[in-house]
Amino acid sequence: MPIREHDLREIRDAVAKLCASFPMDYWRETDRERRYPTEFVTALTRAGWLSCLIPEEYGGAGLKLAAAAAILEEIQKSGANGAACHAQMYTMGTVLRHCSEAQKKKYLPKIAKGELRLQAFGVTEPSAGTDTSAIRTTAVKKGGRYVVNGQKVWTSRAEHSDLMLLLARTAPREQAQKKTDGLSVFIVDMKAALNKGLSIRPIRTMINHATTEVFFENLEIPAENLVGEEGKGFRYVLDGMNAERILIGAECIGDARWFIAKATAYANERKVFGRPIGQNQGVQFPIARAYMATEAAALMVERAAQLYEQGKPCGPESNMAKQLAAEASWQAGDMCLQTHGGFGFAEEYDVERKFRETRLYQIAPISTNLVLCYLAEHVLHLPRSY
């Protein structure tokens, strides 16, 4: 049975209460200073929300993906930004399904307690982009260790994470039967590796996202940190990527609902020509359209989460969930800014910050065009376009 809204109400209420202790002033300040919201992430960790997917035997709550989605949705709906810590949830898609029992016992209890953070996912590279099979970072086995050389980009939270899931080539692409063969996943102890073959360079962006470039120069990783079988890593990260798309879809739903509530309240309060602007259909209709789009996208997010929890194939659904939710949040954000007029550009209304933040998900974790290409080829059986 899927987890329904009534089963999640207590979780939502508790998360909303925690978020309320971090007022909008806090988020304006962290955004203005481009500062990592350490206090917020610590509070979520101590409350156990970031370990919700970790099984109880390792110290977590053992909840389903739908619960994680509800947590992240509620964070965004409150006006906060869960991107500071959401990777600790979606990386579990790879960790729980493919790490060895020894690896789980070593890392998961400490992650659940907050002693370790698993917030970094090293996949994207400057020369590869969304063509994951074209990555050039290599991991060459030498005795009981792998030696890693290469570069990753858009590795968010690398400066604030203890561990990274790293995808690297362990066999040349030209020697592989399929271009996705020869890729392997590793757990990297980032604190131990820093300045010992690993270096991090922050990238300043239009949003406060703590994203970076990561460089590897003869970084040695113990062979025991290999996840699953060598050369099978692409399949492993897909489990993480599907979870990522679903959870980010839930975040977008939260953003959209924040925008809709914000716009509705303002349209009722703001008076021009002696009456509320919300009385005008030109203001009402965009809010109503954004609401419809959001509710429809929320159903797809729920459907994708159900399939994932059941262990069924969910590539099309997780991609559609992310895309429809991202489009709904962007539609709602644009509507909210338009509803506020000039005041929407003022920092004190928080609209401009959320507007910038939600725009990211038209591009990340996968661009609109690649979602459409995937559906065209794998669902509609049209000729491959790339």
Side-chain angles (χ1 to χ4, degrees), residues 52-69:
C52 67
L53 295 176
I54 296 176
E56 291 181 271
E57 60 263 37
Y58 303 111
L63 299 178
K64 300 291 187 180
L65 194 70

Side-chain angles (χ1 to χ4, degrees), residues 2-315:
I3 300 178
R4 293 292 179 183
E5 283 304 306
H6 64 272
D7 300 312
L8 299 172
R9 195 169 300 139
E10 290 185 10
I11 291 174
R12 290 182 180 278
D13 289 346
V15 173
K17 184 176 180 181
L18 185 153
C19 290
S21 64
F22 291 87
M24 291 300 98
D25 284 346
Y26 172 82
W27 293 103
R28 289 175 209 145
E29 183 180 317
T30 56
D31 180 67
R32 192 183 308 125
E33 298 176 359
R34 293 295 192 265
R35 177 167 60 84
Y36 187 75
T38 300
E39 303 84 0
F40 179 69
V41 175
T42 299
L44 285 173
T45 302
R46 289 176 176 169
W49 299 124
L50 295 189
S51 60
C52 67
L53 295 176
I54 296 176
E56 291 181 271
E57 60 263 37
Y58 303 111
L63 299 178
K64 300 291 187 180
L65 194 70
I71 291 166
L72 289 174
E73 181 192 323
E74 207 62 42
I75 289 171
Q76 301 303 114
K77 186 180 172 184
S78 77
N81 188 4
C85 49
H86 59 196
Q88 196 139 303
M89 293 185 181
Y90 67 67
T91 51
M92 288 299 120
T94 299
V95 172
L96 296 178
R97 294 188 177 191
H98 303 293
C99 278
S100 67
E101 186 61 27
Q103 289 169 336
K104 291 176 185 178
K105 287 180 177 178
K106 180 177 180 179
Y107 295 114
L108 289 180
K110 291 182 179 180
I111 293 172
K113 290 178 183 176
E115 296 174 7
L116 290 176
R117 285 181 183 168
L118 174 54
Q119 289 288 358
F121 205 12
V123 177
T124 307
E125 297 185 7
S127 61
T130 49
D131 184 4
T132 302
S133 66
I135 66 170
R136 298 179 180 178
T137 297
T138 59
V140 179
K141 192 170 186 181
K142 294 185 178 180
R145 311 183 82 77
Y146 285 87
V147 179
V148 180
N149 284 281
Q151 176 187 358
K152 298 294 180 181
V153 71
W154 310 124
T155 307
S156 301
R157 300 161 300 274
E159 294 180 293
H160 306 281
S161 184
D162 299 294
L163 303 173
M164 172 197 285
L165 281 185
L166 171 68
L167 185 69
R169 251 198 193 284
T170 46
R173 186 180 185 182
E174 55 271 18
Q175 294 180 10
Q177 277 191 318
K178 294 196 304 181
K179 63 181 183 178
T180 53
D181 290 344
L183 298 171
S184 301
V185 177
F186 300 88
I187 299 172
V188 179
D189 184 337
M190 297 185 71
K191 299 302 181 185
L194 194 62
N195 299 320
K196 295 178 183 178
L198 181 147
S199 58
I200 302 171
R201 181 186 300 165
I203 302 173
R204 189 174 175 86
T205 63
M206 68 182 285
I207 57 174
N208 181 29
H209 201 67
T211 198
T212 69
E213 291 180 280
V214 180
F215 301 87
F216 306 94
E217 186 175 355
N218 296 322
L219 173 66
E220 295 187 354
I221 302 176
E224 65 191 34
N225 284 28
L226 172 70
V227 174
E229 294 182 52
E230 186 179 292
K232 302 292 181 65
F234 183 79
R235 180 166 59 87
Y236 301 161
V237 298
L238 283 181
D239 281 327
M241 288 177 176
N242 283 335
E244 179 185 38
R245 285 150 174 64
I246 295 166
L247 293 175
I248 285 177
E251 288 184 285
C252 289
I253 296 300
D255 277 344
R257 287 176 170 157
W258 184 89
F259 284 125
I260 291 165
K262 187 83 170 175
T264 300
Y266 187 79
N268 277 316
E269 296 165 3
R270 175 69 168 161
K271 292 185 178 180
V272 178
F273 300 115
R275 66 184 200 174
I277 63 171
Q279 191 172 340
N280 301 309
Q281 291 179 339
V283 174
Q284 290 179 352
F285 287 1
I287 299 174
R289 286 187 177 278
Y291 175 79
M292 286 193 294
T294 299
E295 294 305 302
L299 292 175
M300 181 55 74
V301 173
E302 180 182 355
R303 172 63 177 155
Q306 288 174 7
L307 291 173
Y308 187 92
E309 290 171 359
Q310 293 164 6
K312 296 179 180 178
C314 62

Side-chain angles (χ1 to χ4, degrees), residues 245 248-253 255-256 259 293 297 301 319-333 358-366 368 371:
R245 285 150 174 64
I248 285 177
E251 288 184 285
C252 289
I253 296 300
D255 277 344
F259 284 125
V301 173
N319 276 284
M320 287 189 288
K322 177 266 171 188
Q323 188 59 40
L324 291 172
E327 288 176 351
S329 69
W330 181 238
Q331 179 182 349
T358 209
R359 180 61 179 83
L360 172 65
Y361 299 118
Q362 293 288 306
I363 298 169
I366 184 171
T368 300
V371 170

Side-chain angles (χ1 to χ4, degrees), residues 316-362:
E317 290 78 10
S318 63
N319 276 284
M320 287 189 288
K322 177 266 171 188
Q323 188 59 40
L324 291 172
E327 288 176 351
S329 69
W330 181 238
Q331 179 182 349
D334 187 57
M335 171 277 296
C336 187
L337 185 61
Q338 191 71 19
T339 301
H340 281 75
F343 289 108
F345 290 86
E347 184 186 67
E348 65 183 283
Y349 282 79
D350 300 297
V351 176
E352 60 86 27
R353 171 179 64 85
K354 294 287 285 182
F355 180 84
R356 286 184 281 113
E357 289 171 354
T358 209
R359 180 61 179 83
L360 172 65
Y361 299 118
Q362 293 288 306

